[in-house]
Amino acid sequence: MQFKSTRDKNVAVTSAMAIKTGLSPDGGLFLPESIPYVDLNTIESLASMSYNERAKKILGLFLTDFTDAELTDCVNRAYNREKFETDEIAPVYKTVDGVYYLELWHGPTCAFKDMALQILPHLLSKSIKKTGETKEVVILVATSGDTGKAALEGFKDVDGTRIIVFYPAEGVSDIQKRQMITQEGNNVDVSAVVGNFDDAQSGVKKIFTDKEYSEMLARNGFMLSSANSINWGRLVPQIVYYFSAYANLLKNKEINLGDKINFVVPTGNFGNILAGYYAKEMGLPVNKLICASNENNVLTDFIDTGVYDRNRQFKTTISPSMDILISSNLERLLFIATNGDDVKVSAWMEELKNEGKYEVTDEVKKKIKETFVAGCCSDAETLAEIKNVEADNSYVMDTHTAVAKKVYEDYKKATGDETKTVIVSTASPFKFADSVLSAIKDEITSTNEFQMLAELSDAANAAIPKPLANLESKPVIFTTTCEKDEMYDVVSQMLNLA
Ligand SMILES: *Cc1c(COP(=O)(O)O)cnc(C)c1O
């Protein structure tokens, strides 16, 4: 299987090359030349498999240049009991009211980014060897909070790699910040950037597309790569858990083979839900993919109207990992929905860059609406939903998951759709303890986020996840804050080039 670019369909590289370079030289995103088909018999066979076996099966369809032994090695290094709290890796929890939650937060950082970022470093490290690369790979990450820590955990001390994480000074929680600035490992660096996530992300993109800078790095034996959700190696492991969730429902006789189900996905960069779209296109019986946003509802408007318009006030919400106005992975959906029209996709992305806005054709609008439904909700609605679900089901969810649940309730009311539905749950409630506590308790007695973990543990009758429990006593290692135009200097300093 070869990989093309969303901005040049004549590009043809192996998956190892796509994973190694992250972004195509033309600025486009890599995607597979065709979508492999998985028939119902194969889906049925997944039901009796472990998560790792399911992962190998799905990954192997795309990463055809990896050997069976290589895939086994990657999968087993990523998904194991040392790193994940449960053998199931991505369990499906059914609440009393008959709603399913696909819990993607049992990994080392208690959020869904682990699902991809535990395996990406191993895929990348093998990709480097397979392509005969001798330079050291430097991973640059712009993070809205969860990605940073998950990438640091995934890459720490992986041979032949360095990792530098930039997080926005505004818009990550105290705990997210503490997780990053206490990171151990001899190949890691962390810096705050003045501004919001889009500032950090556009700064990283600028470094990536700077030819002169990358030539200088190459002369010094370094090459840049990305662990952001634009890397194909991030996206492909996410397809696995859609199949896995379906297989679990089959196994538990909640559905019959071939029954369609809905997924509701709390969405930011559009990576998670795009993986769901791939799963559907591969033959997984999916009815609707419901795209849930917070008040940064640029995707809700896009799916409703076909106009993508980022010219609006950026809002800092209680679901910060979805505080995003440019959803990078949408570009892949546009490429698929135009049947690979790289010229059109390039033009829209150019308009987005220059005017912050573009409108797709009626055909594309229609194609997207066949699968996607969108909705959004406010912080107040998010908190009310956490309280309702806790009261009715004794199930405590985090703010991102709650956005999805609220949008699902609105969807059900509006459409009467009774299709069995999986809410994709993207973070442990402990990761956003202050908001969650304020939803389920009238009065909070804690005075900092760390006390809140204990208070939430009492209120929710659940143990604090291990990676968060010992955070407060960890020493702070990284204290840098830089301006957006100082991000180059941070990179150069880390590589001893300054
Ligand atoms: C990253 C993240 C999201 C958004 O996922 P995308 O793939 O960017 O759409 C949602 N919830 C949490 C907790 C996240 O960390």
Side-chain angles (χ1 to χ4, degrees), residues 111-113 144 146-147 229 238 266-273 321-322 324 398 400 426-427 432:
F112 107 94
K113 302 292 193 295
S144 56
D146 289 328
T147 309
S229 66
Q238 298 185 348
T267 304
N269 231 337
F270 210 76
N272 196 351
I273 197 166
S321 300
M322 297 153 71
I324 285 173
D398 97 291
H400 304 76
T426 51
F432 301 93

Side-chain angles (χ1 to χ4, degrees), residues 470-483:
N470 56 11
L471 202 54
E472 196 179 5
S473 56
K474 276 190 137 185
V476 171
I477 298 171
F478 301 103
T479 53
T480 314
T481 299
C482 71
E483 295 289 336

Side-chain angles (χ1 to χ4, degrees), residues 217-264:
L217 289 182
R219 283 195 300 275
N220 287 282
F222 296 109
M223 65 167 291
L224 295 175
S225 189
S226 156
N228 271 3
S229 66
I230 49 178
N231 191 308
W232 176 253
R234 276 281 298 279
L235 200 84
V236 69
Q238 298 185 348
I239 300 171
V240 174
Y241 52 71
Y242 286 92
F243 280 93
S244 180
Y246 193 92
N248 276 12
L249 294 185
L250 265 183
K251 186 176 163 185
N252 297 336
K253 305 209 163 29
E254 299 287 341
I255 54 172
N256 296 312
L257 186 63
D259 288 353
K260 288 188 176 182
I261 62 174
N262 297 324
F263 286 97
V264 193

Side-chain angles (χ1 to χ4, degrees), residues 374-394:
C376 58
C377 73
S378 67
D379 280 356
E381 290 171 313
T382 306
L383 292 175
E385 195 62 28
I386 293 173
K387 189 179 169 66
N388 289 341
V389 169
E390 196 263 342
D392 297 346
N393 303 279
S394 302

